[in-house]
Amino acid sequence: MLQPLATERAMKCIEDQNTLVFLTDTRANKKQIAKAAENLYQVKVEKVNTLIRPDARKKAFIKLTSEFEALDVAYKIGIL
């Protein structure tokens, strides 16, 4: 995981869908991304969606389980 994204769309995902958005290494797979998020932020990941941006960077949408709030994690890591 390289860095969290703090765009308008990422903020909407955090608030509405309980999802964190990160830029990740293009070679990382979904299982590696989920494990890294769980280890770094002490959360449980429900699922991970990824996409490759036009600038060849990978963006990961990390949906947290209902027992964890993405807003709390975002405050903790300094996105908000």
Side-chain angles (χ1 to χ4, degrees), residues 10 17 23 29 32 39 66 70 72:
Q17 300 171 5
L23 288 180
N29 61 34
Q32 292 170 331
N39 291 336
S66 60
D72 296 338

Side-chain angles (χ1 to χ4, degrees), residues 1-63:
M1 308 229 307
L2 299 177
Q3 65 187 33
L5 279 180
T7 60
E8 281 186 38
R9 180 174 180 211
M11 293 302 126
K12 189 160 180 63
C13 285
I14 289 170
E15 294 167 358
D16 297 342
Q17 300 171 5
N18 202 33
T19 302
L20 297 170
V21 184
F22 286 89
L23 288 180
T24 61
D25 190 313
T26 55
R27 297 168 294 185
N29 61 34
K30 292 181 181 184
K31 290 181 182 180
Q32 292 170 331
I33 294 168
K35 189 171 184 175
E38 288 174 352
N39 291 336
L40 285 173
Y41 304 116
Q42 290 79 39
V43 296
K44 289 191 180 178
V45 175
E46 184 175 317
K47 71 177 184 174
V48 176
N49 291 331
T50 59
L51 61 86
I52 304 292
R53 298 180 351 164
D55 62 356
R57 298 173 84 181
K58 184 180 269 191
K59 188 188 318 186
F61 295 88
I62 303 169
K63 182 160 178 62

Side-chain angles (χ1 to χ4, degrees), residues 68-80:
F68 295 97
E69 284 289 326
L71 270 173
D72 296 338
V73 177
Y75 282 124
K76 194 183 304 182
I77 61 177
I79 296 175
L80 299 176

